[in-house]
Amino acid sequence: MGGLPRRLVVGSLWLTALALLLCADAAAAAAEGTAGVVSVDARRAIASTDEDFVCATLDWWPPEKCDYGTCSWGHAGLLNLDLSNKILLNAVRAFSPLKLRLGGTLQDKVVYGAGDSGQPCKPFLKGNGSELFGFTQACLPQRRWDELNAFFQKSGATIVFGLNALNGRVRLPDGSMGGDWDISNAASFIRYTVSKGYKIHGWELGNELSGTGVGVRIGSGQYAKDVVALKSEVDKIYQGNASSSKPLVIAPGGFFDRGWFKDLLVKTKPNMLNAVTHHIYNLGPGVDTHLIEKILKPSVLDGMASTFRNLQGLLKSTGTSAVAWVGEAGGAYNSGHHLVTDAFVFSFWFLDQLGMSAKYDTKTYCRQTFIGGNYGMLNTSTFEPNPDYYSALLWHRLMGTKVLATKFSGTNKIRAYAHCTKRSPGITLLLINLGGNTTNHVSVTSEGAATKHGRKVRHVVGFAQGAGAMREEYHLTPKGGNIQSQVMVLNGKELATDAAGNIPRLEPVKVDAAQHIAVAPHSIVFAHIPHFHAPACS
């Protein structure tokens, strides 16, 4: 049969249908669905993020890591990941750059083969029941570190490395780990890294040892002392090194505990610590059969706001120069849940997390994982991107560093966030429809400030420009309308890599700016509005 391929025809028909829907008048729109209004205050930014706000993790887990009878890691760990895979390389390159955090539970059982240990470099082995975290100590060989850095340089990744914070500790009577951190192996590893010219954005100390810890903990006073030791060592090693800028010192990579975090910040202020990292698994265990219900429930999503708000307040009140990062966020712990945390439905949670955390001045958000487990942005076996990869890539390309105050009036099933658009005029609006039954027809207004008799008067004005003004929309839906699908559909076209492993182009549909934004049931829309009057973005 001649003519266009069937997929292109279907995509074209979908776009035509979308255009017809958007061109319906306001009365027809209200009759066909629910109307809502997004108000964006673009006079000033309420917060800011790093340019490379979206970050992802690479973990240490070996193939023998299993949860609830399922072994979901395969060869996705740092010691065995296939660095020659074309999709992997292209998936990282597409971000230009992607910030990668190397770490996880087993990082505190890794020693570094930096040429001075005199010990053979052994892999992780499954331990007996008494082995901390279930595996024996392992070693990162110099050769593997060289291979990883060759990949990072080729892909343009920005690297944060999580150091072993348990080296040299002794267990105290209260169950915590005490004694000063033995920095010698880490220092040797850092010196080797510098000698090879490998660029490291940040050195992070420890993983989930804060507060009550996960498996084991360290007191905040001791942790602060060790952070100061790491800062001193980094300053010394990088002093006078013109070829490499000094990396950040980051900690503690654990769950937020206000008292513990406050003590750490007070004892490392004003500038011993550059970023304070916390982890997020607010949906509970991966085995939970109610994960989808939680993801689609606004009150559950709203529950994380208090953590972001409390940490933001703590950073302001303690006088530290440290900024907030989410260092690891997989949503559901113990490797996530297949066909939930690696499916379309998880983009509701993930994008909402990005939007919410940014509002509270979080500078970087690291998703667990880039690949590995059941929450990877890439499929562990095929390396094919899961839906969240495309959600992350669109955020990275569209949402700039300046965060704008945004309010939605209408159903509580719509989540709305707005940023100045990255490297383009105007704003980008993110709309997430948690509801599965109703199309929402959303109008956008600008909350501005006019002057009357010398006094400022707040008012709301429409954003629509003159005839011919257009905006760009990216409508994300699941294949077949099934939110547990692992195939993302953009503007009617299924997204998949080609035979050469290339990431597909993410093309918008152009829409008359005077029309409502149609947010279909269980869908996500990024809308770039270039003509929006946004003083904050100039």
Side-chain angles (χ1 to χ4, degrees):
M1 178 179 174
L4 291 171
R6 183 177 182 276
R7 189 170 66 175
L8 291 180
V9 172
V10 172
S12 177
L13 290 172
W14 192 93
L15 293 180
T16 302
L18 176 63
L20 290 172
L21 174 63
L22 292 171
C23 289
D25 61 35
E32 293 171 9
T34 300
V37 179
V38 172
S39 176
V40 180
D41 185 346
R43 292 170 295 175
R44 62 179 181 83
I46 58 169
S48 66
T49 69
D50 285 342
E51 186 79 12
D52 51 356
F53 171 66
V54 175
C55 162
T57 68
L58 291 175
D59 212 310
W60 292 97
W61 289 118
E64 294 78 18
K65 160 68 170 170
C66 305
D67 302 281
Y68 320 116
T70 300
C71 307
S72 60
W73 284 84
H75 288 82
L78 283 162
L79 294 178
N80 53 37
L81 181 63
D82 179 7
L83 301 175
S84 67
N85 185 279
K86 290 180 180 179
I87 298 178
L88 180 68
L89 176 64
N90 291 333
V92 176
R93 270 183 174 166
F95 280 80
S96 301
L98 177 62
K99 189 181 289 176
L100 288 173
R101 179 250 188 179
L102 317 185
T105 300
L106 293 184
Q107 79 179 52
D108 292 312
K109 301 199 75 170
V110 176
V111 294
Y112 316 112
D116 62 352
S117 65
Q119 300 290 328
C121 232
K122 296 182 178 179
F124 289 110
L125 297 174
K126 203 159 182 60
N128 56 37
S130 62
E131 193 71 53
L132 182 62
F133 308 133
F135 289 87
T136 61
Q137 180 176 279
C139 171
L140 171 61
Q142 271 188 11
R143 182 186 70 259
R144 182 61 176 178
W145 185 229
D146 294 339
E147 292 169 352
L148 284 163
N149 278 279
F151 173 81
F152 299 147
Q153 290 173 5
K154 192 174 182 181
S155 64
T158 300
I159 301 305
V160 173
F161 189 93
L163 295 165
N164 176 354
L166 290 181
N167 204 34
R169 307 284 188 189
V170 293
R171 193 173 289 276
L172 300 178
D174 66 357
S176 67
M177 298 295 284
D180 291 343
W181 175 45
D182 182 350
I183 198 174
S184 57
N185 184 236
S188 180
F189 178 60
I190 295 171
R191 284 193 296 270
Y192 175 77
T193 299
V194 172
S195 73
K196 297 289 286 187
Y198 300 151
K199 295 191 185 309
I200 300 295
H201 183 67
W203 296 103
E204 184 179 28
L205 182 62
N207 183 84
E208 296 178 357
L209 303 171
S210 58
T212 57
V214 176
V216 66
R217 62 189 175 86
I218 296 174
S220 56
Q222 179 64 59
Y223 219 101
K225 186 177 180 181
D226 299 327
V227 166
V228 172
L230 175 58
K231 169 69 172 172
S232 175
E233 196 68 32
V234 167
D235 286 349
K236 183 169 63 177
I237 293 173
Y238 283 86
Q239 186 176 17
N241 192 306
S243 64
S244 184
S245 58
K246 190 191 300 180
L248 304 176
V249 172
I250 302 168
F255 292 99
F256 181 68
D257 178 303
R258 183 178 177 84
W260 195 101
F261 272 57
K262 181 178 181 180
D263 198 39
L264 174 70
L265 291 170
V266 167
K267 290 176 179 175
T268 56
K269 72 177 187 180
N271 56 10
M272 288 290 168
L273 187 59
N274 300 115
V276 56
T277 44
H278 67 109
H279 292 182
I280 296 173
Y281 289 91
N282 62 316
L283 299 175
V287 74
D288 190 339
T289 57
H290 299 286
L291 288 176
I292 292 177
E293 294 170 41
K294 291 181 177 180
I295 291 166
L296 298 177
K297 194 170 185 179
S299 61
V300 172
L301 299 180
D302 289 338
M304 272 307 300
S306 60
T307 297
F308 295 128
R309 186 185 307 113
N310 286 337
L311 180 54
Q312 181 187 39
L314 197 56
L315 291 171
K316 289 179 179 177
S317 66
T318 53
T320 180
S321 61
V323 297
W325 283 25
V326 172
E328 181 183 313
Y333 60 82
N334 289 342
S335 305
H337 190 112
H338 182 44
L339 298 184
V340 178
T341 54
D342 55 4
F344 180 87
V345 67
F346 208 51
S347 279
F348 295 140
W349 178 88
F350 182 37
L351 287 173
D352 191 68
Q353 277 282 299
L354 294 180
M356 185 187 300
S357 64
K359 281 172 51 179
Y360 293 99
D361 230 24
T362 300
K363 302 302 183 184
T364 289
Y365 191 107
C366 299
R367 165 62 182 268
Q368 172 84 347
T369 61
F370 192 64
I371 185 168
N374 284 320
Y375 36 35
M377 289 161 62
L378 303 184
N379 183 287
T380 302
S381 302
T382 66
F383 291 79
E384 186 69 26
N386 285 323
D388 280 358
Y389 173 83
Y390 296 112
S391 295
L393 187 56
L394 277 172
W395 176 290
H396 177 76
R397 290 179 177 177
L398 295 170
M399 305 292 267
T401 60
K402 294 180 179 178
V403 187
L404 305 174
T406 308
K407 297 176 185 175
F408 181 79
S409 300
T411 172
N412 70 345
K413 293 292 187 178
I414 292 286
R415 316 285 287 184
Y417 300 97
H419 286 222
C420 295
T421 302
K422 184 177 282 189
R423 301 188 190 94
S424 292
I427 69 167
T428 293
L429 183 66
L430 168 62
L431 297 169
I432 303 167
N433 189 354
L434 303 176
N437 299 317
T438 306
T439 294
N440 281 264
H441 303 277
V442 178
S443 58
V444 187
T445 62
S446 172
E447 189 172 344
T451 302
K452 186 176 182 180
H453 305 306
R455 298 170 61 188
K456 283 190 174 180
V457 180
R458 297 185 72 192
H459 71 296
V460 176
V461 297
F463 74 89
Q465 304 297 304
M470 305 292 285
R471 65 173 178 263
E472 295 178 333
E473 294 182 359
Y474 302 78
H475 291 252
L476 301 176
T477 54
K479 182 179 179 180
N482 177 12
I483 59 174
Q484 291 187 260
S485 171
Q486 292 185 279
V487 178
M488 177 75 89
V489 177
L490 170 61
N491 293 335
K493 180 181 178 181
E494 293 180 20
L495 296 176
T497 59
D498 63 18
N502 294 310
I503 301 300
R505 294 175 64 86
L506 305 181
E507 302 283 5
V509 58
K510 293 186 183 297
V511 178
D512 183 343
Q515 301 304 319
H516 297 88
I517 301 172
V519 190
H522 283 161
S523 76
I524 296 160
V525 180
F526 285 93
H528 173 211
I529 309 172
H531 301 294
F532 196 102
H533 179 59
C537 304
S538 58

